[in-house]
Amino acid sequence: MGAAMFDNLTALPPDAIIAMMQQAKLDTRAHKIDLGVGVYKDGSGAVPIMRAVKTAEDIILGEEMSKSYVGTTGRVEFRRLMLDMILGDQFDAPRIASSQAAGGSGALRLGAELIKSAAPDATVWVSDPTWANHIPLIGSAGLLMDKYPYYNRDTLGVEFDAMLEHLDRHAKPGDVVLLHGCCHNPTGADFSEDQWDRLVPFLVERKLTPFVDLAYFGLGRGLGEDAYGLRLVFERAPEALVAASCSKNFGLYKERVGLIAVLCRDEATARIAQTQFGAIQRKLISMPPDHGAQVVERILGSGELKRIWLDELTEMRGRMRNLRVLLSEALDVQGGAHIARAVADQNGMFSTLPVSPAQAEALRNDHAIYITNSGRINIAGANASNIPNLASALLDVLS
Ligand code: LMR
């Protein structure tokens, strides 16, 4: 018998975040603190289903009469409601093409494939650091990728001037710049409104197309605040993309709900881009999953459910903000003033602390505290009672 086809495969290392998620689950130490994967946790450490989601699901379960296909770009009403929510009411709808996607990741991939069809030689610039999956996800569409400086691991803030200088020197007209709309993953360090005000005209002038990854909308400072940069981009740039996720803000992680939208120069181009989205999705996965999008459509389309959802989102955001303040105070008291300030200033679930891979390993092994080797923490994994231990373990490994 000849060699079997799959004998040629080589074993690959597991994705670091997903592997750590499994490792933390198996750790039985009672004082364990899991600050790993980006899911929102409540005070008891559970990843809850939101009340608005449960209610919408109950209604759907009672009313749904068919599981027939919806279409390659998903639900029209879901897309309209999502665009309304993230872009506000000022956007130029006829110039926008969009598609429902299998989560924020699916949205990023649809966007990457669209760019590849339109401008195969474009380089996509990502922040250094960025979400670990951005490069494989976008790069495997066949696009060139490169990095711009973003996070300064000494100041724990955004290196804005270095970023502009780097793009000015190295990016060519027609390239794409991936930006995190809010709650930068992995650092939590966002652009200020002043920086967005400088960045958008810079990109327009250099003919660089902004691609906004909006994975944590509503979990930073508030809906309006978190959309500031995205709305400015869609107002000022002739062309732009946004990939929005409903994983975190609706807690619909495993249902895979997201939206990709592209702003085109004119309506005719948007109509063409719309056909492209349909064709791209068809060749990749044929059609996006429906259930989660149906839930989001129900919630955003009903005054009452939307109000409940917004209250829950406000509570989630408030809990994380409060944990940031507590951790910041504990670090400050214990002598970590510099990190304390950054933790308090940063947004959303994540902060990247100046922790080396060896120190991250020591946190996991010696303290049962799970953070990625890059030094990223998910603040939602902590709670008021374990914050003092967290602060002292951090300072212990850093000393
Ligand atoms: C994260 O960054 O932890 C999340 O976006 C989950 C993931 O898929 O990596």
Side-chain angles (χ1 to χ4, degrees), residues 92-96 264-273:
D92 195 354
R95 282 174 55 215
I96 293 177
C264 301
R265 206 176 278 277
D266 54 38
E267 297 183 28
T269 314
R271 280 195 293 275
I272 294 170

Side-chain angles (χ1 to χ4, degrees), residues 115 122-127 138 146 148 163-164 167-168 171-172 174-180 191 196 199 202-203 206-213 233 240-241:
I115 295 165
T123 295
V124 179
W125 293 85
V126 295
S127 62
I138 296 170
D146 213 328
Y148 55 83
M163 170 188 175
L164 293 197
L167 289 173
D168 192 33
K172 59 182 187 307
D175 281 355
V176 175
V177 180
L178 190 76
L179 304 162
H180 299 223
F191 298 122
W196 279 111
L199 176 61
F202 167 88
L203 296 173
R206 301 298 191 286
K207 299 192 167 33
L208 299 172
T209 302
F211 187 170
V212 180
D213 183 351
V233 162
L241 297 109

Side-chain angles (χ1 to χ4, degrees), residues 175-256:
D175 281 355
V176 175
V177 180
L178 190 76
L179 304 162
H180 299 223
C182 63
C183 311
H184 184 270
N185 181 5
T187 69
D190 288 335
F191 298 122
S192 65
E193 294 192 355
D194 283 351
Q195 288 173 335
W196 279 111
D197 290 347
R198 284 175 58 200
L199 176 61
V200 176
F202 167 88
L203 296 173
V204 173
E205 202 206 308
R206 301 298 191 286
K207 299 192 167 33
L208 299 172
T209 302
F211 187 170
V212 180
D213 183 351
L214 195 68
Y216 293 85
F217 177 59
L219 292 167
R221 301 265 165 187
L223 291 190
E225 292 89 334
D226 291 356
Y228 183 85
L230 172 70
R231 289 179 186 173
L232 197 66
V233 162
F234 269 64
E235 209 179 283
R236 303 277 171 80
E239 297 181 303
L241 297 109
V242 59
S245 171
C246 302
S247 296
K248 326 282 173 170
N249 48 12
F250 286 87
L252 282 165
Y253 313 93
K254 68 180 179 182
E255 303 296 354
R256 313 310 295 139

Side-chain angles (χ1 to χ4, degrees), residues 15 17-18 36-39 105 131 133 185 216 248 350 376:
D15 177 276
I17 295 174
I18 305 301
V37 70
V39 294
S105 299
W131 177 43
N133 209 22
N185 181 5
Y216 293 85
K248 326 282 173 170
F350 306 122
R376 188 187 83 168

